[in-house]
Amino acid sequence: GPNQRTINSYFSPK
Amino acid sequence: MFEAKFEDGGLFKKIVEAIKELVKNVNLEANGTGISLQAMDTSHVALVALQLNEKGFKKYRCEKSLTMGLSIENLQKILKCSGNDDQITLRTQDEEPTTLSFTFESKNRISEFQLNLMSLDQEQLGVPDTEYSSVVRMPSNEFTKICRELGNINEAIGIETSKEGIKFYVKGDIGEGQVSVKINDTEKPEERVECEVDEPVNLSFAVRYFNLFNKASALSSQVILSMSQDQPLVIEYIIEEMGSLKLYLAPKIND
């Protein structure tokens, strides 16, 4: 079914 | 020394109300340009980013950048001691403060509280200032209503944009449905619906998070949804004259 990646997999750490 | 005075303390209370179910412990960052906050929700699927500009405060002073770790729950306990019409001043004395002072001021009383600060090790994410392929502005109460209604039918909500406008849809065990919001340019800015679509998108999100985000609708009569295919969406509430609250949510992926 539909899954979800974590938000920090889209944005890199500062 | 750090000092920030909200002319409208009720606004600060609304901000805390809006984020309290998303984040628990947060670092409040203060520097010469204003106050900011960035934190992921406990499941690391959503990101809260608040920016309050120095110019929006009745009084603002920050000589040295400062990180203040606070528990939202404890902050709320202290804010409960203030009235909605109070002016609220946040203040620290030391270079490395262990407490954050609050002054609540109304016509007939002044209250002072100190909140103990915590040292939090939190990952800060660099969110690029990208162009989104679809940007929709619509009344925040209408968005709240659609999420509540469609959320009854399924836990995931689809958003599809086109030159014609924006469509929300659900498909659940009981059936399916869709709501199209019509573009309009009424003279009442709070009722306006605008869609800028360079590239159409079709995305799916967990409606549970939208329902939490919608607590922020008290901050603004309009909400801005910015989307690009397969990227987190941003739901933005402009806080008049002060800044904005942006809420990011990762889309659902079809395996």
Side-chain angles (χ1 to χ4, degrees), chain B residues 242-255:
Chain B
M242 286 211 86
S244 72
L245 176 65
K246 290 182 183 172
L247 303 159
Y248 296 82
L249 182 64
K252 283 183 166 281
I253 310 162
N254 278 310
D255 289 332

Side-chain angles (χ1 to χ4, degrees), chain A residues 1-8 10-14, chain B residues 40 44-45 123-124 126 230 232 250-253 255:
Chain A
N3 217 326
Q4 201 160 19
R5 276 165 61 192
T6 59
I7 196 87
N8 47 351
Y10 292 93
F11 303 131
S12 42
K14 241 186 215 172
Chain B
M40 279 184 275
H44 288 195
V45 166
E123 186 184 9
Q124 291 289 297
D230 304 326
K252 283 183 166 281
I253 310 162
D255 289 332

Side-chain angles (χ1 to χ4, degrees), chain B residues 43-226:
Chain B
S43 60
H44 288 195
V45 166
L47 181 75
V48 173
L50 171 74
Q51 178 65 47
L52 299 173
N53 302 320
E54 157 263 329
K55 282 191 176 65
F57 289 92
K58 191 174 184 196
K59 221 164 147 191
Y60 190 87
R61 211 175 131 194
C62 183
E63 284 147 7
K64 199 169 164 269
S65 305
L66 199 67
T67 300
M68 294 166 277
L70 10 117
S71 139
I72 292 288
E73 193 186 348
N74 295 343
L75 170 63
Q76 231 202 348
K77 285 179 186 166
I78 286 188
L79 288 177
K80 279 204 174 124
C81 304
S82 71
N84 285 336
D85 298 326
D86 287 4
Q87 298 195 335
I88 297 182
T89 306
L90 315 181
R91 199 179 281 116
T92 60
Q93 299 293 354
D94 312 323
E95 283 225 342
E96 280 174 38
T98 53
T99 62
L100 173 62
S101 305
F102 292 82
T103 306
F104 304 141
E105 209 174 331
S106 72
K107 258 189 215 141
N108 36 33
R109 83 169 179 183
I110 293 188
S111 322
E112 293 268 351
F113 292 89
Q114 269 83 42
L115 175 65
N116 294 332
L117 297 175
M118 308 179 288
S119 170
L120 301 172
D121 186 22
Q122 277 186 349
E123 186 184 9
Q124 291 289 297
L125 302 176
V127 180
D129 207 6
T130 44
E131 295 265 326
Y132 288 88
S133 58
S134 292
V135 178
V136 177
R137 288 177 183 77
M138 64 183 286
S140 54
N141 57 9
E142 180 65 5
F143 179 62
T144 301
K145 220 169 138 215
I146 291 171
C147 292
R148 214 184 290 140
E149 290 167 356
L150 299 188
N152 277 326
I153 299 170
N154 193 28
E155 56 88 31
I157 184 169
I159 302 182
E160 203 181 321
T161 63
S162 67
K163 297 278 180 208
E164 283 72 49
I166 184 164
K167 190 173 96 182
F168 299 90
Y169 61 92
V170 279
K171 215 173 190 168
D173 295 338
I174 65 158
E176 54 186 270
Q178 62 172 63
V179 177
S180 296
V181 181
K182 296 179 189 168
I183 295 170
N184 79 64
D185 57 356
T186 146
E187 276 173 27
K188 293 181 189 158
E190 67 276 13
E191 291 177 12
R192 231 167 259 172
V193 178
E194 295 168 41
C195 292
E196 291 160 32
V197 178
D198 288 334
E199 288 279 338
V201 298
N202 190 350
L203 295 161
S204 176
F205 298 96
V207 73
R208 182 168 81 82
Y209 288 94
F210 284 167
N211 288 335
L212 295 175
F213 289 3
N214 283 330
K215 303 252 188 301
S217 62
L219 293 171
S220 177
S221 61
Q222 287 262 306
V223 63
I224 306 169
L225 312 180
S226 300

Side-chain angles (χ1 to χ4, degrees), chain B residues 8-54:
Chain B
D8 173 11
L11 179 66
F12 185 52
K13 294 174 76 160
K14 280 184 203 162
I15 294 170
V16 175
E17 274 296 312
I19 64 171
K20 69 162 193 212
E21 283 172 64
L22 285 164
V23 290
K24 262 175 89 76
N25 298 326
V26 297
N27 276 328
L28 205 59
E29 310 275 349
N31 62 30
T33 64
I35 298 177
S36 63
L37 172 163
Q38 192 207 73
M40 279 184 275
D41 78 302
T42 42
S43 60
H44 288 195
V45 166
L47 181 75
V48 173
L50 171 74
Q51 178 65 47
L52 299 173
N53 302 320
E54 157 263 329

